Amino acid sequence: MAGAALRARIDALAAITAEPGHITRVFMSPEQRRASDLLLGWMRDAGMAAHEDAIGNVVGRYEGERPGLPALLLGSHVDTVRHAGRWDGPLGVVTAIACVDALNRAGTRLPFAVEVVAFADEEGTRFGATMLGSRALTGRFDLAMLDLKDEAGITMADAIRRYGLDPARIGAAARQPGAFLGYLELHIEQGPVLERIGMPVGCVTAIAGATRLRVTVTGMAGHAGTVPMQGRHDALAAAAACVLAVEGRAVIEEGLVGTVGRLDVFPGSVNVIPGRVVFTVDIRSPEDARRLRKVHDLRIAFDRIAARRDVTIEVAETHASPAVPCDVALQRIVAAAIDAEGLPVRLLPSGAGHDAMEIAAIMPIGMIFVRCRGGISHHPDEHADEADIAAGARVLLRAITHFPPAEPVT
Ligand SMILES: [Zn+2]
């Protein structure tokens, strides 16, 4: 599989955008329609029966030795963030189609079917709710989400209708338990680890769990000129100590990251001591125990800061999702495929969320990471080398042809 041919398809998808000069392709948009039509054609050319399901996922099926066998599912997403790069999502779809094309050209039929899915929404760019495509496939799509509105005030239900699908039929996208044997997703790493160690591909061990907090620090606003430094209740100075506590151990502890991504200061005036600050915290780790310990430690640290600075600090947990481990047998297959390519096997966790997290609810999952330049993602500078994507595609094809594992997938 030539890297240049894969790159050409990535470029063809990147050309489908709502904003000229950028890549923006959101759920239920005219751009999704055009991308889906392109994918349907590629899937059929690769010997698959292809259709669009009830949520707009594009699904292709390549039968095994006889029709109707359970399938190994491959895929990723085709939607993007605003002003995205071209690789996040499409690379997993394009390489999966190329692998099936290689099987088809060789006349190879496997003792299982292979399905390729291009999920209609993973990023949640339009409606805020993420992984709509994979949630529909697993039968875990919450119908209350249909009332969510985009920036133009259009509800998700209306957007689905305008696209030409029926929101009342979303349940039809759910697949039967037993339809699949496992799921393999190839994706750019979106981080710098593989580049740092000089490896084109890596085997993912787990997708990090996350805790998000909303923290409110309440002090006392006052005149910046007249209130003495002693006895102030500066909410922002206290928040600053909290931000450093979030960074604290996360800076040095392997497998733990902590970020304050938003901080709002009230009243937010040059000559007023901040009376109130609201900020977010995002803690992630592939190990739940590590993440939970950090959250626990943070609550203690915030209490101490509140006492020392005579402010109140309230902590609300806004999101918590456990880490999702990759299936051990699938990791073994991916590692063996990397090894068979003559490459050292590097195991690494994923700090970012992926469709595989949702798919893990109904089947074993595995992931292959491809090196990306500078670890940059969700940005126009996102880049993967043709040689690396070709290596990734070869690893994926080997993993497919060595599936199912000798021992049953757990
Ligand atoms: Zn992605």
Side-chain angles (χ1 to χ4, degrees), residues 214-395:
R214 188 179 60 248
V215 183
T216 306
V217 183
T218 308
M220 175 70 82
H223 195 293
T226 60
V227 181
M229 295 307 287
Q230 293 85 355
R232 285 191 179 192
H233 307 281
D234 186 328
L236 182 56
C242 295
V243 172
L244 293 177
V246 171
E247 192 185 40
R249 202 177 63 207
V251 177
I252 47 166
E253 189 168 347
E254 180 88 5
L256 183 71
V257 289
T259 307
V260 174
R262 180 169 181 159
L263 191 145
D264 296 311
V265 181
F266 304 95
S269 181
V270 66
N271 57 356
V272 181
I273 300 163
R276 188 164 63 93
V277 171
V278 181
F279 65 91
T280 60
V281 179
D282 179 305
I283 304 288
R284 300 192 201 201
S285 174
E287 291 168 60
D288 288 333
R290 209 179 273 273
R291 172 174 55 89
L292 295 174
R293 195 173 66 238
K294 174 71 181 181
V295 172
H296 174 78
D297 290 353
L298 268 183
R299 286 177 184 273
I300 293 171
F302 290 172
D303 283 347
R304 287 201 185 118
I305 292 164
R308 195 166 67 236
R309 292 182 169 272
D310 206 7
V311 298
T312 61
I313 299 181
E314 288 165 74
V315 179
E317 189 171 288
T318 54
H319 170 90
S321 58
V324 176
C326 289
D327 178 72
V328 172
L330 277 170
Q331 282 187 58
R332 223 174 276 143
I333 289 178
V334 169
I338 293 172
D339 183 59
E341 283 296 318
L343 297 165
V345 177
R346 168 70 195 218
L347 305 174
L348 74 169
S350 172
H354 295 288
D355 290 301
M357 289 177 95
E358 177 58 37
I359 296 298
I362 61 164
M363 69 183 96
I365 59 146
M367 287 194 75
I368 300 164
F369 270 172
V370 172
R371 169 168 58 188
C372 64
R373 187 174 62 199
I376 296 167
S377 186
H378 285 188
H379 189 279
D381 289 346
E382 194 178 84
H383 176 79
D385 282 342
E386 285 179 13
D388 291 357
I389 60 177
R394 287 196 304 272
V395 168

Side-chain angles (χ1 to χ4, degrees), residues 71-74 180-184 330 359 363-365 403 409:
L72 172 62
L73 182 63
L74 314 173
F180 297 110
L181 300 168
Y183 175 73
L184 263 180
L330 277 170
I359 296 298
M363 69 183 96
I365 59 146
F403 188 86
V409 176

Side-chain angles (χ1 to χ4, degrees), residues 76-77 79 87-90 122-123 185 187-188 190 352-355 367 377-378:
S76 196
H77 58 99
D79 70 313
W87 305 92
D88 173 6
E122 188 266 355
E123 305 284 5
E185 178 167 357
H187 203 284
I188 55 164
Q190 302 180 281
H354 295 288
D355 290 301
M367 287 194 75
S377 186
H378 285 188

